[in-house]
């Protein structure tokens, strides 16, 4: 699990939230990236992409830490501007 004060997860301004989003997707290791990974793990399990929550958490962390999640967002940005 993740044990962290709520204040550490609050985003603040729109720019601060955007910066946090990009940092997490680019591989940041922090309590807030753990929360993103936990949410992604649940989504992966519910969509039956993985068999267990633990597998989903492992996959989510791998995708975040490797920067692959960030690459997907960058491709989407490029497609949106074509």
């Amino acid at each position: 699990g993740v044990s962290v004060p709520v204040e550490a997860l609050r985003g603040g301004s729109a720019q601060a939230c955007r910066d946090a989003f990009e940092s997490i997707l680019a591989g940041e290791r922090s309590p807030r990236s753990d929360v993103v990974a936990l949410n992604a793990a649940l989504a992966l399990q519910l969509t039956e992409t993985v068999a267990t929550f633990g597998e989903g958490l492992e996959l989510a962390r791998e995708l975040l830490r490797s920067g692959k999640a960030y690459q997907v967002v960058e491709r989407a940005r490029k497609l949106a501007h074509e």
Side-chain angles (χ1 to χ4, degrees):
V2 175
S3 178
V4 62
V6 173
E7 295 78 30
L9 301 176
R10 287 202 175 106
S13 69
Q15 185 62 48
C17 290
R18 179 183 175 161
D19 292 346
F21 174 75
E22 290 187 356
S23 182
I24 291 166
L25 292 182
E28 171 187 303
R29 293 183 183 205
S30 68
R32 60 188 186 184
S33 67
D34 287 339
V35 171
V36 171
L38 289 167
N39 283 304
L42 182 58
L44 290 166
Q45 184 183 16
L46 291 174
T47 59
E48 298 180 353
T49 303
V50 296
T52 68
F53 181 80
E55 289 175 13
L57 186 56
E58 185 176 322
L59 177 58
R61 283 182 170 155
E62 176 186 329
L63 293 171
L64 289 169
R65 290 175 179 168
S66 69
K68 289 180 182 177
Y70 186 79
Q71 292 170 3
V72 170
V73 171
E74 284 302 304
R75 281 194 302 252
R77 283 182 181 155
K78 288 177 184 175
L79 289 173
H81 293 351
E82 286 184 359

